[in-house]
């Protein structure tokens, strides 16, 4: 368990991750490691904020001199609504995970972080299967399609996926990774160690299974993909990539990604 505070009890600091729940977040440890590596005098904390309190909490943090915040579940849509004059690509995503308080501005580094994760793979990604229809999946789907990838989508509740009304999206009633370079798990099934009905036997040998969630050891999703001989990645790489992109957006400095990754791998 990491240190966290209710937003009304927020200590003096510069940056925060806000969400509900937030006690599990590794972001304070990761950003603190970045400040240390670069000799910066800054403090990053975790604060619990609920959806109805979002605006009030953000105002309070701005008054206390906070410069920015990472926004996590369930506040990404509220953060989008708070941003003044959103422009594309943020406008088309409808979700914001990073805000700059004095500027009333926001961006989405989950999607640019995903770009970094995909770029780190051995071969270029042209075709992806995305699992889920929540806020993260939606942002990934819109982003990957806008980059010209061939994208397949599956969600447990098919109707929810269709209701997203994303242009150019192929939705499937089975999680079929035929021809896909990656399968991206943007559901929260791993959180409760539940299986997903992916037809792994149809995946090409080079396909990489990417879970957005992370836990001690391998997630159930990773274990299943590995049983079919596939390489896997858990959500820590994405956490570091989105955190590094947020750090860079706020400070204009290059983030020390190695130090950030080491800090969250200590567990
Ligand atoms: P949401 O709550 O918005 O979406 C949840 C999705 O998961 C829905 O599509 C839901 O399907 C599906 N789901 C939940 N349980 C199951 C299950 N047992 N079987 C099949 N599908 C299931 O979550 P988010 O989009 O905000 O986040 C999704 C995941 O991504 C989370 O695990 C989150 O931690 C992770 N994440 C990690 C990041 C990182 O930096 N590592 C960054 C962003 C997200 P249905 O519609 O049928 O209910």
């Amino acid at each position: 368990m990491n240190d966290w505070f209710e937003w009304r009890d927020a200590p003096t600091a510069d940056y925060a991750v806000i969400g509900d729940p937030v006690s599990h977040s590794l972001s304070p440890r990761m950003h603190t490691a970045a400040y240390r590596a670069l000799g910066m005098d800054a403090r990053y904390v975790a604060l619990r904020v609920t959806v109805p309190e979002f605006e009030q909490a953000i105002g309070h943090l701005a008054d206390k001199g906070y410069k920015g915040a990472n926004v996590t579940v369930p506040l990404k849509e509220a953060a989008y609504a708070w941003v003044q004059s959103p422009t594309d690509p943020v406008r088309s995503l409808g979700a914001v995970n990073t805000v700059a308080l004095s500027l009333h501005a926001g961006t989405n580094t989950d999607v640019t972080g995903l770009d970094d994760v995909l770029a780190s793979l051995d071969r270029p990604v042209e075709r992806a299967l995305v699992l889920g229809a929540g806020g993260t999946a939606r942002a990934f789907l819109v982003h990957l399609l806008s980059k010209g990838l061939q994208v397949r989508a599956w969600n447990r509740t098919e109707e929810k996926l269709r209701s997203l009304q994303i242009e150019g999206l192929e939705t499937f009633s089975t999680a079929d990774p035929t021809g896909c370079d990656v399968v991206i798990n943007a559901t929260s099934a791993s959180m409760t160690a539940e299986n997903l009905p992916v037809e792994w036997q149809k995946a090409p040998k080079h396909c990489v299974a990417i879970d957005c969630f992370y836990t001690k050891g391998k997630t159930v999703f990773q274990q299943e993909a590995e049983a079919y001989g596939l390489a896997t990645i858990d959500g820590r790489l994405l956490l570091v990539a989105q955190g590094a992109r947020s750090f860079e957006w706020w400070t204009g400095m290059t983030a020390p990604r190695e130090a950030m990754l080491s800090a969250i791998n200590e567990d």
Side-chain angles (χ1 to χ4, degrees):
M1 192 77 76
N2 301 304
D3 279 344
W4 63 278
F5 305 86
E6 297 290 346
W7 66 266
R8 287 174 211 278
D9 304 325
T12 301
D14 306 281
Y15 299 97
V17 55
I18 60 173
D20 181 28
V22 83
S23 59
H24 65 285
S25 176
L26 295 178
S27 288
R29 196 192 293 182
M30 181 173 77
H31 284 270
T32 302
Y35 305 150
R36 254 192 229 126
L38 297 177
M40 286 169 65
D41 181 20
R43 185 176 182 196
Y44 187 113
V45 296
L47 303 173
R48 193 175 80 90
V49 173
T50 62
V51 173
E53 293 174 326
F54 180 82
E55 297 249 346
Q56 202 188 347
I58 282 282
H60 179 69
L61 298 181
D63 290 345
K64 282 192 71 90
Y66 280 63
K67 299 184 184 89
N70 284 125
V71 179
T72 188
V73 178
L75 304 175
K76 292 181 189 181
E77 285 79 12
Y80 173 75
W82 171 85
V83 169
Q84 259 169 14
S85 321
T87 50
D88 276 333
V90 166
R91 187 169 45 196
S92 59
L93 300 176
V96 156
N97 82 324
T98 307
V99 292
L101 298 185
S102 62
L103 301 175
H104 237 278
T107 188
N108 188 313
T109 67
D110 287 336
V111 297
T112 45
L114 178 67
D115 286 342
D116 294 342
V117 172
L118 298 184
S120 73
L121 303 181
D122 289 343
R123 49 198 289 172
V125 174
E126 289 167 2
R127 196 167 214 204
L129 169 62
V130 177
L131 312 174
T136 305
R138 187 186 184 283
F140 286 177
L141 289 166
V142 171
H143 180 67
L144 294 176
L145 282 167
S146 76
K147 288 173 53 123
L149 267 73
Q150 283 185 51
V151 184
R152 297 173 156 223
W154 173 88
N155 189 48
R156 176 178 62 180
T157 312
E158 208 178 337
E159 189 43 44
K160 191 162 163 197
L161 194 53
R162 285 214 203 88
S163 72
L164 299 181
Q165 296 189 323
I166 299 173
E167 215 181 301
L169 185 67
E170 283 184 88
T171 62
F172 285 76
S173 52
T174 54
D176 177 354
T178 300
C180 290
D181 305 304
V182 289
V183 177
I184 302 170
N185 179 14
T187 76
S188 40
S190 292
M191 229 180 245
T192 44
E194 285 176 84
N195 293 320
L196 291 169
V198 180
E199 298 176 333
W200 291 115
Q201 72 282 5
K202 295 185 178 172
K205 289 271 170 289
H206 72 270
C207 177
V208 180
I210 303 172
D211 201 342
C212 295
F213 187 73
Y214 53 83
T215 183
K216 283 187 180 170
K218 302 273 168 88
T219 67
V220 173
F221 176 78
Q222 287 182 286
Q223 290 172 28
E224 297 218 320
E226 287 180 5
Y228 283 88
L230 302 184
T232 69
I233 290 177
D234 78 2
R236 285 174 197 247
L237 269 194
L238 179 61
L239 180 72
V240 170
Q242 61 79 28
R245 291 280 192 150
S246 298
F247 177 96
E248 288 166 356
W249 190 70
W250 287 322
T251 66
M253 297 161 75
T254 301
R257 292 179 187 229
E258 289 300 323
M260 294 167 85
L261 184 60
S262 303
I264 63 167
N265 276 338
E266 280 164 13
D267 261 352

